[in-house]
Amino acid sequence: MNAAPSDPHGHAKQTFVVRHNRFILFAVLALSLGGVYSAFHMPSSVFPQTDFPRVVILVDNGVMPADEMMATITRPIEEAMKDTPGSLSIRSATGRGSAEVNVFFRWGTDMVQAELYVRSHLSQIANELPPTAGYQVQRLTFSSFPIIGVSLTSKTRNITELWEMAEYQVKPQFLRITGVARVDLVGGREPEYHVVIDPAKLDARHLTAAQVCDALNKTNLFVPSGMHEENSQLYLTLVDGRAHSTKDIGDIPVAFPDDTPVCIRDVASVVKGAAPKYNIVTADGVDAVLLNVKSQPDGNTMSIAEALNTEMAALRGQLPPDVRMAFFYDQSVFVREGVRSVWESIFFGVLLSVAVMYLFLRSASTTLAAVVSIPATLLITMLGMRVLGMSFNLMTLGGIAAAIGLIIDDAIVVVEAIHTKVGQGHPPSEAVRLAMGEVGRALVGSTITPVVVFVPLAYLDGVPGVFFRALALTMVCSLLVSLLLAVTLIPTMGVMLIRQGTVAALVRRGARLGRTVQVYEWTMRRALRHAALMMLMLCLVVGGAVGLYLRLDSDFLPTQDEGVFFFKQKTAY
């Protein structure tokens, strides 16, 4: 009778909850529907997306020797990158015809801006580098690695034909898929025309190989030649000097001694060939061309895999029947299995929570009043994740699974307090006010405590911060949503579902737990009488735990099995 005057602020709050129960139900339903939409449109990947503080410069220059690559390409690039704002260190690896320069930055650096700085410095020294060299600049993210690999094989066609199919038929179709950033070809041999010079014929005509190369470079062009105006119409003219066959190349003139043209066919033979092979790629025991599909940073791995399956089904009808296209690596399988495993854990966790609650409460309506908050909390948490730009990955889903126990704790505390007050004879609305007045502060304190523990994890630097930030934000979001629903939705459901008769039956069934309470009471009395022995046992347990901790192996991530074997073999040259 004296509870109401002693807590006027709590009375006003609970009066709002009781009087605006329809608004609360509508708001929770609307936010839950937003969570459903977010769940179906949330990007999914193995790990959280992030920009590592590293920009990679990849250089390709044919078969140039490693020492020449170091002197003419790697070292000038390293010296130019030293002036990049925010750079910490530069590391490189140089081999025959290729080089990789890594520019490392501080954590927290704007990597988009850093990449622009790197590109700017590279363009400033472009004129000093060999004109035959090609460059790629990219930030290092999880999306830098392929998520899906497709193999193209045939038992009747050569590897050059497969490369042409992959480059001109398959790759453009894959690039149309939403979320795909790049498709890289590995293996195969690009078709080429080889001009094989006959030194005797070249010397007989007093020509050099450089003249042959110069003729090819100057003649094989496609350029605009000007404009022509006639009859009030303007015509744009083009000169197409490109060679399309071995005959076209053979007809290219090299020189005109005595006004007589000497063509390439007079000093060389032209044959259709293929680019040099630097690696061997096979699939199912035959030569293959591999297509590595990379996603955009916010791409959905599972959606890309589904769209890729659809596109491949359409392509199989367009490609020759002897060409086989299949997956050789599919990260979406690992993601799908991981997501399914976590959702199964969440489902069984909720199921066991419901079973335990019903076992003790012995009332379906009272259990429902508490359980309804679990799916609502999860859905609203997913809406919050979507707003924060997060994705479904092992860390966020693990955070949701770990928060289930804490979420259900808030619901049980509030429901138990309400049905106890109803059992004492208070009407439901009054029981809600009195119950929240008793457990409100404790509820807030018990929920804020883990929030305070997890918030610092969101500010970690380095690779640990990338992973724990996703976990911490997910758990903090779910706990705060759980607290909000515990003081709004659960009291509303309690007023609607908990009735005097229900609680009376629950009190009668509660007598069955009397023996459990008696055993607990007997155990606690004995423990309190032998406090010194209990403290000694506690120290032994703590000591044993410390000893086990020191013996446990440590690693950043648990061992993962993606169902793939990698073999590395090194042979003597």
Side-chain angles (χ1 to χ4, degrees):
M1 299 296 293
N2 297 326
S6 63
D7 190 8
H9 298 289
H11 176 74
K13 183 187 296 182
Q14 299 310 316
T15 301
F16 173 83
V17 171
V18 173
R19 290 182 177 178
H20 299 84
N21 55 0
R22 293 184 178 179
F23 168 75
I24 292 174
L25 291 175
F26 172 78
V28 171
L29 179 61
L31 292 174
S32 298
L33 292 176
V36 173
Y37 176 84
S38 300
F40 282 103
H41 293 80
M42 190 91 70
S44 60
S45 58
V46 179
F47 301 118
Q49 281 296 337
T50 186
D51 282 334
F52 291 101
R54 176 179 169 189
V55 176
V56 183
I57 305 172
L58 300 176
V59 186
D60 180 26
N61 194 26
V63 293
M64 177 180 282
D67 55 348
E68 290 294 323
M69 287 285 298
M70 173 64 73
T72 61
I73 295 179
T74 305
R75 186 171 179 178
I77 291 178
E78 287 180 341
E79 293 175 351
M81 293 305 118
K82 279 290 186 180
D83 195 29
T84 304
S87 63
L88 287 179
S89 62
I90 299 173
R91 298 178 184 176
S92 64
T94 306
R96 176 180 288 275
S98 65
E100 178 180 318
V101 181
N102 296 277
V103 185
F104 293 88
F105 296 83
R106 298 180 181 88
W107 280 97
T109 302
D110 184 349
M111 293 310 299
V112 175
Q113 186 68 36
E115 182 184 3
L116 294 177
Y117 281 134
V118 170
R119 291 180 180 274
S120 174
H121 284 79
L122 188 61
S123 65
Q124 291 175 8
I125 63 169
N127 293 333
E128 304 173 15
L129 302 176
T132 55
Y135 309 92
Q136 289 185 15
V137 180
Q138 59 185 19
R139 290 175 286 126
L140 185 65
T141 64
F142 285 120
S143 59
S144 301
F145 305 96
I147 61 170
I148 295 173
V150 178
S151 64
L152 204 65
T153 59
S154 175
K155 295 183 178 180
T156 60
R157 298 176 185 272
N158 60 47
I159 201 66
T160 302
E161 292 180 278
L162 290 177
W163 186 92
E164 290 185 285
M165 289 182 188
E167 176 69 21
Y168 301 115
Q169 288 184 258
V170 180
K171 181 178 177 179
Q173 297 296 103
F174 285 0
L175 287 173
R176 294 170 46 192
I177 298 174
T178 302
V180 172
R182 291 183 57 184
V183 178
D184 296 331
L185 269 60
V186 181
R189 302 183 68 181
E190 186 175 356
E192 296 180 342
Y193 288 105
H194 294 169
V195 178
V196 184
I197 297 176
D198 187 333
K201 293 182 179 179
L202 196 68
D203 185 62
R205 288 170 173 79
H206 306 289
L207 299 175
T208 63
Q211 289 177 284
V212 176
C213 294
D214 188 56
L216 288 169
N217 291 329
K218 291 182 177 180
T219 308
N220 190 34
L221 298 174
F222 180 77
V223 294
S225 60
M227 298 176 292
H228 173 70
E229 186 176 357
E230 183 179 347
N231 297 329
S232 301
Q233 291 186 343
L234 184 65
Y235 298 92
L236 302 180
T237 59
L238 300 170
V239 174
D240 188 359
R242 293 175 296 180
H244 300 281
S245 64
T246 56
K247 181 180 181 303
D248 292 342
I249 297 175
D251 291 338
I252 294 176
V254 178
F256 295 87
D258 300 327
D259 295 330
T260 302
V262 176
C263 299
I264 287 180
R265 65 172 179 270
D266 298 325
V267 296
S269 61
V270 183
V271 295
K272 192 172 183 180
K277 180 188 290 188
Y278 299 110
N279 51 28
I280 298 175
V281 179
T282 63
D284 298 328
V286 297
D287 289 339
V289 177
L290 306 182
L291 296 97
N292 288 325
V293 180
K294 299 180 180 180
S295 74
Q296 296 174 353
D298 58 348
N300 190 323
T301 302
M302 291 189 290
S303 297
I304 292 174
E306 293 174 359
L308 205 59
N309 270 310
T310 303
E311 201 67 47
M312 287 173 62
L315 280 169
R316 288 189 180 98
Q318 302 174 16
L319 297 175
D322 61 300
V323 176
R324 183 174 182 271
M325 187 165 46
F327 289 108
F328 74 89
Y329 173 72
D330 188 357
Q331 194 182 89
S332 70
V333 175
F334 180 68
V335 175
R336 189 176 290 106
E337 290 178 354
V339 171
R340 183 182 61 188
S341 176
V342 173
W343 279 117
E344 287 177 355
S345 300
I346 293 174
F347 173 76
F348 284 114
V350 172
L351 190 64
L352 291 175
S353 300
V354 172
V356 172
M357 288 180 60
Y358 183 77
L359 179 65
F360 284 91
L361 298 178
R362 297 289 180 147
S363 170
S365 59
T366 306
T367 302
L368 179 62
V371 171
V372 72
S373 67
I374 299 177
T377 300
L378 295 179
L379 292 174
I380 298 176
T381 298
M382 292 175 193
L383 178 60
M385 291 169 57
R386 180 72 171 178
V387 172
L388 293 174
M390 303 173 70
S391 64
F392 281 141
N393 52 70
L394 296 183
M395 302 306 293
T396 54
L397 290 174
I400 293 175
I404 289 293
L406 300 174
I407 292 171
I408 197 65
D409 280 349
D410 293 344
I412 291 175
V413 169
V414 175
V415 167
E416 191 277 334
I418 293 175
H419 79 64
T420 298
K421 294 302 179 183
V422 173
Q424 294 174 357
H426 298 283
S429 59
E430 181 70 10
V432 166
R433 184 183 67 81
L434 295 175
M436 294 307 297
E438 288 185 359
V439 303
R441 292 183 179 179
L443 183 68
V444 173
S446 64
T447 304
I448 294 299
T449 300
V451 169
V452 173
V453 171
F454 283 108
V455 164
L457 295 179
Y459 295 94
L460 291 176
D461 288 331
V463 178
V466 173
F467 289 86
F468 288 110
R469 186 177 299 113
L471 175 69
L473 291 178
T474 303
M475 293 202 68
V476 168
C477 185
S478 62
L479 291 172
L480 293 179
V481 171
S482 171
L483 176 62
L484 180 63
L485 296 185
V487 298
T488 55
L489 177 63
I490 295 179
T492 300
M493 299 301 296
V495 172
M496 297 173 58
L497 298 177
I498 300 178
R499 293 292 179 265
Q500 184 70 36
T502 302
V503 176
L506 192 149
V507 171
R508 290 194 300 270
R509 292 166 183 163
R512 300 177 183 177
L513 298 176
R515 186 161 185 80
T516 303
V517 175
Q518 292 176 2
V519 172
Y520 173 74
E521 181 182 358
W522 180 87
T523 303
M524 288 303 300
R525 288 181 184 277
R526 296 298 184 277
L528 292 174
R529 289 176 184 174
H530 302 84
L533 179 61
M534 293 296 104
M535 291 300 297
L536 177 61
M537 294 177 62
L538 177 61
C539 291
L540 291 176
V541 171
V542 173
V546 172
L548 290 175
Y549 171 77
L550 295 176
R551 292 176 178 271
L552 287 175
D553 295 331
S554 62
D555 203 348
F556 181 65
L557 288 173
T559 302
Q560 299 177 10
D561 184 3
E562 297 189 41
V564 178
F565 289 96
F566 290 94
F567 296 94
K568 296 184 69 175
Q569 183 178 2
K570 185 176 181 180
T571 60
Y573 292 102

